[in-house]
Amino acid sequence: MDWLQVVVLAVVQGLTEFLPISSSAHLILVPVLTDWDDQGLAFDVALHLGSLSAVIVYFRHELWRMTASTLATLGGRGVNRDAALALWVVVATLPVCVVGFLLQDVVEGYMRSTLVIAAGLIVFGLALGYADLKKRGARSEYDMGLKDALVIGVAQVLALIPGTSRSGITITAALMVGMSREGASRFSFLLSIPVIILAGGLEAFKLASAQVAVDLTAMFWATLLSGVSAYLCIHYFLAVIKKLGMQPFVIYRVLFGLWLLWFFYF
């Protein structure tokens, strides 16, 4: 694997993991537009590790409070807003864990076509635009309830469809239940932590079982570059949506989806 491939894949993964534009839609173009071989399972693990590190570092203060409050709750000290938020993250993660486990072969074998990805970009992009314009409220991630967590968790299952975007569909669902742009986005990013841990852990298990040779240098730089780009992405995304909202991403998704249809089918 050459350095250009490492840099491009790491930066693309870091930027698209948390933007509501679908990382799978962008990564599918790399082997099409280049003559690069598949990067391999070890490289995928490194990319996930970078994204995970970025979101943990960015939300380190919130995660510390959530962890301390949860332990205090388990010790009988009652439930405060940080412990409640931790609970909602767990609740919203359960549906995608169950469905993803049951339908893993279906998703990997039958739903990774360009047509599905393009349709996902367009349809769920328009849904994001509608939620942002018509349903957006003012509640933060600390104003959630059980119903909100379940709605967002069920919506996250749709992210198993390539092109949907995990961050895009969870932000859409959060906006639909009346959360603010910032609150919806922050909860979506927190929700990515257990999902990335589970997905990366599964890939790491497969990697260990395969006993293949690993390029540690490429993995190190992939982790670092994807982590730095993901951290910057989270920071600037939260700043941009305060002024511009979700519509620029909606427009981008629709145009990108149409371009994919034209490129592959016309």
Side-chain angles (χ1 to χ4, degrees):
M1 179 178 293
D2 60 42
W3 285 109
L4 180 60
Q5 185 177 3
V6 171
V7 173
V8 170
L9 290 174
V11 172
V12 168
Q13 169 68 22
L15 292 179
T16 59
E17 177 70 32
F18 297 108
L19 292 179
I21 56 176
S22 177
S23 58
S24 61
H26 289 76
L27 291 174
I28 193 178
L29 285 179
V30 175
V32 173
L33 300 179
T34 68
D35 58 354
W36 294 336
D37 296 327
D38 182 82
Q39 65 267 24
L41 195 57
F43 197 81
D44 288 339
V45 172
L47 294 179
H48 277 107
L49 180 59
S51 299
L52 178 63
S53 301
V55 70
I56 288 176
V57 171
Y58 192 89
F59 289 100
R60 60 192 181 279
H61 301 301
E62 291 85 347
L63 292 171
W64 171 255
R65 293 196 302 268
M66 290 163 65
T67 302
S69 296
T70 299
L71 293 175
T73 298
L74 294 175
R77 300 183 186 179
V79 181
N80 63 12
R81 68 174 198 162
D82 292 302
L85 180 58
L87 176 60
W88 304 146
V89 169
V90 172
V91 169
T93 302
L94 293 177
V96 74
C97 291
V98 174
V99 178
F101 176 77
L102 294 175
L103 299 181
Q104 179 182 357
D105 293 338
V106 175
V107 173
E108 293 182 353
Y110 300 100
M111 299 181 66
R112 300 196 66 83
S113 71
T114 309
L115 181 60
V116 171
I117 291 175
L121 280 167
I122 296 170
V123 172
F124 293 110
L126 293 174
L128 174 62
Y130 173 80
D132 186 49
L133 289 175
K134 301 295 185 180
K135 296 294 184 179
R136 173 170 47 91
R139 294 190 295 140
S140 76
E141 67 271 29
Y142 290 103
D143 300 318
M144 294 176 58
L146 176 59
K147 180 181 177 181
D148 302 320
L150 288 173
V151 169
I152 296 170
V154 171
Q156 187 171 219
V157 173
L158 295 173
L160 296 172
I161 303 173
T164 301
S165 169
R166 191 211 59 82
S167 61
I169 196 62
T170 51
I171 290 173
T172 299
L175 292 171
M176 291 291 288
V177 298
M179 294 178 66
S180 67
R181 290 166 176 161
E182 296 87 347
S185 300
R186 290 173 67 86
F187 185 73
S188 174
F189 295 153
L190 288 171
L191 194 56
S192 73
I193 295 174
V195 172
I196 295 175
I197 289 175
L198 291 170
L202 179 61
E203 290 180 342
F205 176 77
K206 292 179 179 178
L207 177 64
S209 302
Q211 297 182 343
V212 296
V214 174
D215 186 342
L216 293 179
T217 302
M219 288 187 66
F220 169 79
W221 285 108
T223 302
L224 179 63
L225 291 172
S226 64
V228 171
S229 56
Y231 185 93
L232 293 174
C233 174
I234 294 171
H235 175 76
Y236 286 107
F237 176 76
L238 291 173
V240 165
I241 60 173
K242 293 180 181 179
K243 298 180 179 180
L244 301 179
M246 301 293 173
Q247 300 311 309
F249 303 101
V250 174
I251 295 170
Y252 177 83
R253 286 180 63 118
V254 172
L255 292 178
F256 187 29
L258 292 174
W259 182 83
L260 284 177
L261 292 174
W262 173 82
F263 186 84
F264 285 97
Y265 295 100
F266 295 99

